[in-house]
Each structure stands twice: as structure tokens, then as C-alpha cells.
Amino acid sequence: MTAILFVCLGNICRSPTAEAVFRKRALNADLDLRIESAGTGGWHRGDPPDPRARAAGEARGYSFTGQEARRVEHNDFSVFDLILAMDTRNLRDLRAACPPDSRDKIRLFLEYAPALSVSEVPDPYYGGEDGFDHVLDLVEAASDGLINQIKAQPSSG
Ligand code: 4NP
């Protein structure tokens, strides 16, 4: 089993969306994975996902049930095999906080969607509604790329 943590700043918009999308697609691909999300900041601890993220995701058939914002904690660097940052600020903050032997676990999520012309999932929090659909487009593409890579590993069953 592989454990994957999606990370953004607030853990109420982008990484909960990534968690919901990836959970559904991993299930459809018959992959048994531990999937969670967290934020580098703790302002929204305990909050459910942003209603705009939730509405956009649910319109595409994703479930956010049970999600509650939490901050990245030190233990995450040992528990998770892959820690996927939504943008370069998240990447930098994670790398600054992690033990040196865990640095290789931390990557930009959009590395798994090399055909996209962008490398970051932009923060939709202060923008318009269409920002949340754009997040979904990017997250769906990277989720498929990551799932294909996991499926291609001999140990994935
Ligand atoms: P997220 O979006 O990182 O995609 O969850 C944000 C949510 C809240 C804040 C920033 C980004 N905030 O500053 O409260």
C-alpha cells in the first residue's frame, strides 16, 4: 500500500479537491491507497472544505464527506510515501519543515501531468467561481498521471 498526502495552504480548497478526486479515481482503478490532505497553514483547522470547492467537485461526482482541515504535522513525513504540493510555495514550506531523509517524498502534484502548460495549481480562494473548475481540470489530469504511474509499478498488484 502507498500513502499519499495532498498539501496546499489552507486545506479547504485545492488539497481537499485533490483528495476527493484522487480517492474516486484510485477506487475506480482498484488501488488500495491511504489518501489524505493537509495545509501548511493552520487557520482553517477543523473546517469543512470551502463550499465553492465542494459545489464544483460535487457537480463532477466527487464526495467531500468527512473532510476536515488540518495542518501538516511532523509525523506526516514518516507516515506518507508521497507528499504532493499544489504550488511552489507549499513545496518550499514542506521542504523546509521535513527531515532531510524525507525530502524526496515531496513533489509538485502537476509533475504527474507533464502535458499541461502549468506546474502549479493556482489558489482559487480569492478568485471567482471558475477558479474552482480550473483546479478540478488540473487535479483530474495529475490524478490520472499518478494513477497510471502507480499501476505501472510491478508491486501495485
Ligand atoms: P487552499 O486555499 O490553500 O487551496 O485551501 C486557501 C484557503 C484559505 C486561505 C488561503 C488559501 N487563507 O488564507 O485563509
Side-chain angles (χ1 to χ4, degrees):
M1 170 160 143
T2 303
I4 300 172
L5 182 68
F6 295 101
V7 176
C8 61
L9 180 59
N11 192 210
I12 56 168
C13 297
R14 292 166 293 173
S15 61
T17 298
E19 179 183 338
V21 168
F22 196 77
R23 177 166 289 125
K24 179 168 183 180
R25 291 183 176 215
L27 192 69
N28 288 345
D30 260 337
L31 291 175
D32 181 20
L33 305 170
R34 175 172 176 174
I35 301 160
E36 290 185 28
S37 65
T40 56
W43 313 282
H44 294 281
R45 182 176 294 149
D47 289 352
D50 185 288
R52 298 165 297 171
R54 191 169 170 153
E58 287 177 347
R60 294 194 194 190
Y62 302 111
S63 169
F64 295 75
T65 302
Q67 286 205 48
E68 202 174 271
R70 72 169 179 86
R71 193 171 189 176
V72 175
E73 52 189 63
H74 198 71
N75 201 32
D76 290 328
F77 296 112
S78 52
V79 166
F80 290 93
D81 303 298
L82 206 47
I83 299 172
L84 298 172
M86 296 299 133
D87 63 30
T88 52
R89 177 181 172 189
N90 310 146
L91 185 78
R92 193 174 59 239
D93 289 345
L94 285 165
R95 289 209 163 133
C98 84
D101 62 351
S102 296
R103 279 181 62 96
D104 292 347
K105 297 177 172 184
I106 304 169
R107 294 163 179 271
L108 278 174
F109 186 30
L110 294 193
E111 276 183 30
Y112 294 95
L116 295 174
S117 56
V118 291
S119 59
E120 302 183 287
V121 183
D123 188 346
Y125 189 64
Y126 294 107
E129 299 289 326
D130 60 350
F132 291 86
D133 265 312
H134 184 52
V135 167
L136 279 160
D137 292 341
L138 300 176
V139 161
E140 286 176 342
S143 293
D144 286 346
L146 175 54
I147 284 168
N148 287 337
Q149 183 168 315
I150 294 171
K151 294 280 274 186
Q153 289 167 4
S155 58
S156 73

